[in-house]
Amino acid sequence: MAYQGILQRYGSLLGLPDHTQQVTLLEGGTPLVPVPGLVEKLGGDFELFVKFEGLNPTGSFKDRGMTAAVSEAVGRGAEAVICASTGNTAASAAAYAARAGLRAIVLIPEGKVAAGKLAGAIVYGAQVIQVQGSFDDALALVVEITQRTPLALVNSLNPYRLEGQKSAAFEICDTLGAAPDWLCLPVGNAGNITAYWMGFEQYHALKKTGLPQLLGAQAAGAAPLVLGHPVEQPETIATAIRIGRPARGEQALQAAQESRGRILAVSDDEILAAQQMLAGEGLWVEPASAAGLAGLKAEVEAGNLDPRGKRIVVVCTGHGLKDPDVITHSMEKPRVIPAEMGALVDVIKVG
Ligand SMILES: *Cc1c(COP(=O)(O)O)cnc(C)c1O
C-alpha cells in the first residue's frame, strides 16, 4: 500500500484518543542520509547520518506533531487552532488547518521570523499576528486565551504534538535496524528532544532496540537549559531556537540525563560553520537545524565525545530554503558578466 503518513504507519504506538480523525499531508518517511564526508572531517572511524526533516511537507519536523494535534482537534470538533511560533510551527499549523478546513491563528515575534516561514503561514491562509515581544511572550498569550476560549492549542504543550513527533525515533530505529549510539539535535522549546526520548524508550520496551545518548544543542544566546535559568532576551541567528523559557525544559533535561547525554550551548559562528559543512554535502538546512552537528563537532574536538566505532545520527530539523537571508547576507554576490564567451572563459578559468 502506498505511504499514508505517520498516523497510518505508527498510529497504534502514538497514544491518540479514539475520536482522532486523520488529517495528513503524508509527513514523515524522511531520509536518513549517510554523510561519510563529514565523518572524515571529524576524524573518521564512525558512522554518521543526517535525518533530513526539512523534507517534510512544510519543510520541518513540526509536521509530525501537527498531523497528530490537528487530527485530534478535528475529531473532537474543534473549529480553530492557535499557536505561538518562531515560524515553522506557524507554517505547519496553517497547512494542516487548511487541509482540515479549520481556521488557524498564529502569533509570531515581530521581525524575528524567517521570510519563507512567514510566507508559508500566510499562503496557507492563517491569520498571522505579530507580537511586539519574544516567542515566550507570544506563547504566554496563547496559553491564556486557550484557557478562556474553545481555540485548540497546537504548540508542543499539546501532548499529541509529542506523540506525533515520536515517529521520527521509530523511523530511525526501523531504518537502522537498531537505535543509534548518539542522537544530536537542536533544542528550543524542547518538545522535540522530549518526544525523541519518549519514542526511543517506547521502542526499547517494545522491540528491545537500544537507547541512544542524547546530545542537545542550544544557541549560546538562548541557552536557558545550559545556564539553569530563563533568558529574558534570547538572541541568535538560529531563529527557530530563539527561546528563553522552554515549555518542555524540565523534561528535556531529564531525558538528556537519563540517556547519559547532555545539553550544551553552541555559538552562532559554530552554527553557521556547521550549516556550511552540511551544505558541502549537498544538504541545505536552516541555521537552527545545524546546531546538532555544531554540538557534535564541538564535543568531538574537545575530546568530550569519542565517536570511534559509534553510529551517530544528527537531526536536521528544517530546510534551508525557508531562511535564505542568513546565507545571502554573508555570501559573495554572484559575478555579473556580459553575454559573451570571452567574458565567461575569463571568469570560470577552465582549460
Ligand atoms: C521548532 C524547531 C526547533 C526546536 O524544536 P523544539 O521542539 O522547540 O526544541 C529546531 N529546529 C527547527 C527547524 C524548528 O522548527
Side-chain angles (χ1 to χ4, degrees):
M1 195 169 58
Y3 184 69
Q4 292 183 34
I6 61 152
L7 262 56
Q8 195 72 27
R9 178 156 182 207
Y10 293 114
S12 63
L13 303 177
L14 297 188
L16 299 174
D18 289 343
H19 64 243
T20 302
Q21 283 178 24
Q22 181 177 247
V23 177
T24 183
L25 289 163
L26 309 193
E27 60 295 314
T30 56
L32 196 59
V33 185
V35 280
L38 294 185
V39 171
E40 212 149 292
K41 286 191 177 135
L42 294 175
D45 201 18
F46 64 103
E47 284 181 90
L48 186 62
F49 299 87
V50 166
K51 181 69 169 162
F52 194 12
E53 290 288 277
L55 294 184
N56 274 295
T58 77
S60 84
F61 76 86
K62 297 299 196 305
D63 295 340
R64 294 178 185 275
M66 207 53 75
T67 183
V70 171
S71 296
E72 187 279 330
V74 165
R76 84 177 126 88
E79 287 171 2
V81 299
I82 187 168
C83 64
S85 177
T86 58
N88 280 327
T89 299
S92 187
Y96 282 83
R99 187 80 170 171
L102 304 184
R103 179 176 171 200
I105 304 162
V106 304
L107 274 63
I108 58 174
E110 184 188 18
K112 298 289 184 185
V113 167
K117 301 176 189 176
L118 182 56
I122 294 170
V123 165
Y124 296 127
Q127 180 176 1
V128 179
I129 301 165
Q130 301 204 63
V131 176
Q132 294 175 324
S134 66
F135 166 84
D136 306 282
D137 298 325
L139 182 59
L141 288 172
V142 165
V143 167
E144 194 178 334
I145 201 164
T146 53
Q147 285 161 355
R148 297 193 197 167
T149 64
L151 293 170
L153 172 88
V154 293
N155 278 104
S156 58
L157 287 166
N158 177 324
Y160 307 120
R161 279 275 308 275
L162 299 199
E163 289 298 317
Q165 287 172 207
K166 291 191 311 194
S167 61
F170 301 157
E171 285 178 12
I172 290 172
C173 292
D174 286 342
T175 303
L176 295 177
D181 296 300
W182 280 93
L183 185 89
C184 312
L185 76 171
V187 176
N189 213 25
N192 207 30
I193 190 171
T194 302
Y196 265 102
W197 186 241
M198 289 163 58
F200 284 121
E201 284 205 299
Q202 193 172 344
Y203 250 36
H204 176 64
L206 204 70
K207 306 202 176 206
K208 307 284 178 261
T209 46
L211 288 168
Q213 291 180 267
L214 302 178
L215 186 69
Q218 298 208 286
L225 301 180
V226 180
L227 297 170
H229 59 76
V231 173
E232 291 309 327
Q233 312 233 305
E235 234 2 292
T236 169
I237 195 158
T239 50
I241 52 173
R242 187 177 169 276
I243 293 175
R245 208 179 275 277
R248 299 277 182 177
E250 286 306 316
Q251 279 166 282
L253 287 168
Q254 196 182 337
Q257 194 186 18
E258 281 176 18
S259 80
R260 296 175 299 115
R262 52 199 168 268
I263 296 176
L264 48 63
V266 289
S267 70
D268 280 7
D269 284 346
E270 290 175 297
I271 287 172
L272 291 175
Q275 184 187 33
Q276 208 60 61
M277 283 173 74
L278 287 159
E281 300 297 313
L283 300 167
W284 183 19
V285 307
E286 69 167 271
S289 299
L293 177 64
L296 174 65
K297 180 167 181 283
E299 287 294 86
V300 168
E301 287 174 357
N304 296 334
L305 191 161
D306 182 359
R308 281 173 300 176
K310 299 274 163 46
R311 195 184 245 179
I312 302 178
V313 171
V314 167
V315 182
C316 287
T317 42
H319 204 292
L321 274 169
K322 286 182 164 185
D323 196 355
D325 300 346
V326 170
I327 294 294
T328 47
H329 281 163
S330 62
M331 243 177 22
E332 236 178 279
K333 286 255 158 48
R335 286 280 295 271
V336 179
I337 60 164
E340 290 165 7
M341 187 52 67
L344 176 62
V345 170
D346 270 359
V347 171
I348 63 179
K349 300 185 180 79
V350 184

